[in-house]
Amino acid sequence: MIGFFLKKNFCDGWDNILYLLVPNIVVSLFSALAFFTLSTLLSLESSFALILTCAAFIILLALVMVLVMAFSENAAEIADFSMPSIGSYFRQIPKVLPDALRYGALMGALVVIGAIGIPVYNSMGGILGNALALLLLSFEIVFFLSLQWFVPLRALLHDNFFKCLKKCFIIFFDNTAFSIFMFFYNLFLAALSFVIFTVLPGSAGIVLAQVNALRLRLYKYDWLDANPQYKSANSRKNIPWDALLENDRNMLGPRPLKSFFMPFKQE
């Protein structure tokens, strides 16, 4: 399943490269402005400035997440072999605003709590301090590995904020190894983005990867619903991925090398 996901995600990104550029440029420009704002606040070097910086970080990350999440609907269209629309990216901004703000604020709060709490607990020393630091670190890891599924869940299932949060943890604990793989794959895409000045694959490429991954992974749950006799822990390890992915493999096709020099989907 992972091999096909990597192939499909690369093909989808290449075929729709122009649709990734616009949201990436918008997010990059706003992120640059946010970085300048935070750098200015940190340069003040006071306790109040630190508090203000933490608050500004949470607010700015929430706003950035609005611009990031607005692409998720286009990503869902691409993952489903449909043609996206640049205009729909901007039309989605007000639609994702409430959930994106809450999600971004939650992620920002987790970053602030970890950045402040872990060093404070470590500075306490002793068994208690180290134990609290380790506990908080574990808490942060589980949350970040789980919450990476929020954006694709909302794009594919269109559940409300709290249902998406709940399903994030269900997906993580039921697919822990795959969630860890996706976390590092997203880190790779982020590192590659910085090499190419955040133009590609960028935030849009990461969102597309998350949506593609979850869309394929959800086939597992469709199959389990249709075959309840296989819901035991041992049976769940033997998901017939070849059969479940057959239609997507046929839709994607063999993709010869020459097809990658045509960055638009052909009818």
Side-chain angles (χ1 to χ4, degrees):
M1 181 266 181
I2 290 179
F4 176 70
F5 156 70
L6 293 173
K7 176 183 177 181
K8 182 179 186 301
N9 193 62
F10 177 80
C11 293
D12 285 349
W14 184 272
D15 290 344
N16 297 277
I17 194 168
L18 295 181
Y19 297 103
L20 303 182
L21 287 175
V22 172
N24 283 343
I25 292 172
V26 172
V27 171
S28 295
L29 290 175
F30 188 85
S31 297
L33 177 62
F35 179 79
F36 174 77
T37 301
L38 294 174
S39 299
T40 302
L41 291 173
L42 278 175
S43 66
L44 298 178
E45 297 182 355
S46 68
S47 299
F48 177 74
L50 179 60
I51 296 173
L52 191 60
T53 300
C54 291
F57 174 79
I58 294 173
I59 294 171
L60 290 171
L61 184 58
L63 293 175
V64 168
M65 197 53 63
V66 173
L67 302 176
V68 171
M69 196 181 293
F71 179 73
S72 61
E73 292 293 331
N74 269 3
E77 292 287 332
I78 293 172
D80 199 35
F81 301 99
S82 298
M83 183 68 73
S85 165
I86 292 178
S88 72
Y89 168 70
F90 295 99
R91 290 193 296 271
Q92 284 297 322
I93 291 177
K95 296 180 181 179
V96 304
L97 187 65
D99 287 345
L101 286 176
R102 285 184 283 185
Y103 174 66
L106 175 59
M107 295 291 284
L110 288 171
V111 172
V112 170
I113 290 171
I116 295 176
I118 294 175
V120 168
Y121 287 138
N122 273 329
S123 67
M124 292 171 57
I127 296 177
L128 179 61
N130 291 332
L132 290 173
L134 182 60
L135 180 63
L136 180 55
L137 177 61
S138 302
F139 172 86
E140 294 271 331
I141 290 173
V142 170
F143 262 75
F144 281 115
L145 288 175
S146 301
L147 292 178
Q148 68 178 324
W149 297 117
F150 182 89
V151 174
L153 275 169
R154 189 189 180 283
L156 293 171
L157 303 182
H158 299 100
D159 288 328
N160 62 43
F161 180 78
F162 294 103
K163 279 189 177 181
C164 284
L165 281 184
K166 178 181 177 181
K167 289 181 179 180
C168 284
F169 292 96
I170 294 173
I171 295 293
F172 167 68
F173 285 110
D174 193 42
N175 304 272
T176 304
F178 186 64
S179 296
I180 294 173
F181 164 78
M182 281 304 301
F183 179 78
F184 284 104
Y185 180 66
N186 290 335
L187 285 182
F188 166 75
L189 292 181
L192 182 62
S193 301
F194 279 106
V195 173
I196 316 178
F197 304 103
T198 70
V199 175
L200 290 170
S203 61
I206 293 174
V207 169
L208 176 60
Q210 292 173 319
V211 171
N212 250 326
L214 183 63
R215 178 182 174 276
L216 297 178
R217 206 66 180 181
L218 288 178
Y219 287 153
K220 165 184 174 179
Y221 297 99
D222 293 336
W223 183 80
L224 288 173
D225 287 340
N227 300 273
Q229 67 273 24
Y230 293 107
K231 286 192 175 182
S232 65
N234 291 330
S235 300
R236 290 165 74 90
K237 297 178 182 179
N238 300 310
I239 305 297
W241 284 113
D242 287 339
L244 296 178
L245 298 176
E246 182 179 3
N247 185 59
D248 283 77
R249 292 183 193 277
N250 293 335
M251 291 284 289
L252 186 63
R255 297 308 303 267
L257 182 61
K258 65 180 181 179
S259 69
F260 293 111
F261 297 95
M262 303 174 64
F264 302 101
K265 287 188 173 180
Q266 301 298 315
E267 298 293 335

